[in-house]
Amino acid sequence: MTRSASETPYVLVLFYSRNGATREMAEQLAAGVESISGIAARLRTVPPVSTTCEAVDPEIPAEGAVYATLDDLRHCHGLALGSPTRFGNMASPLKYFLDTTSELWMNGVLADKPATAFTSTASLHGGQEATLLTMMVPLLHHGMVYAGVPYRETRLLTTQSGGTPYGTSHLAGAQADRPLDDDETALSRAQGERLGRLALAMRSLHEAT
């Protein structure tokens, strides 16, 4: 399926959230994208995975963002990938979805598109940076251009919670009940704004191939 040139380009904000913290970050990042004129944000999630073989989840979730398809990824102009940390890595539902993208990889569909990542942890030193670094790996394999959070965002220097140059992070607390604070919110929005600007600026690179 070929996208019409008249369609508004979009950044895909693809996330998995167990208790809502990563979803809250995704929404703030999407707001940052949409603060840039000429580009939209598309929020998508992935279903949980199970040790059982029988599929029991509905095709459309009862609430929140709908499940991502390969076409959502295929036609995006930028990608923001979000996940809670699992032992310094992304959660398995998000990894499972990415493992189905071999067709896009073989055809270089995502090459030269900007990408970024964000994460949430229960504890301040719960693997935020390790998770972001490992989330970069499949993006780089797809030929995407990784964009973190530059230190011109001075809240990186003053935050007492989340925030890294590799991508925005959030301290959710042991009970996953700590909301985003002002620094985490501002950094999430700034990350989205930067990705939106880059997606527009780099549009011609991948549309020419």
Side-chain angles (χ1 to χ4, degrees), residues 113-195:
K113 297 181 181 182
T116 197
F118 56 99
T119 190
S120 176
T121 60
S123 61
L124 185 58
H125 301 290
Q128 292 182 351
E129 292 185 347
T131 300
L132 293 167
L133 289 168
T134 54
M135 288 173 75
M136 289 183 198
V137 175
L139 304 178
L140 295 173
H141 273 261
H142 272 287
M144 303 193 84
V145 180
Y146 193 82
V149 181
Y151 270 95
R152 70 179 178 221
E153 302 301 333
T154 56
R155 287 176 185 263
L156 284 178
L157 296 167
T158 59
T159 178
Q160 298 296 304
S161 51
T164 86
Y166 313 112
T168 306
S169 57
H170 166 56
L171 171 61
Q175 304 302 317
D177 57 359
R178 180 181 176 276
L180 267 68
D181 65 21
D182 290 345
D183 288 330
E184 294 166 338
T185 297
L187 289 169
S188 295
R189 290 205 173 210
Q191 188 175 12
E193 290 172 11
R194 186 182 191 213
L195 189 60

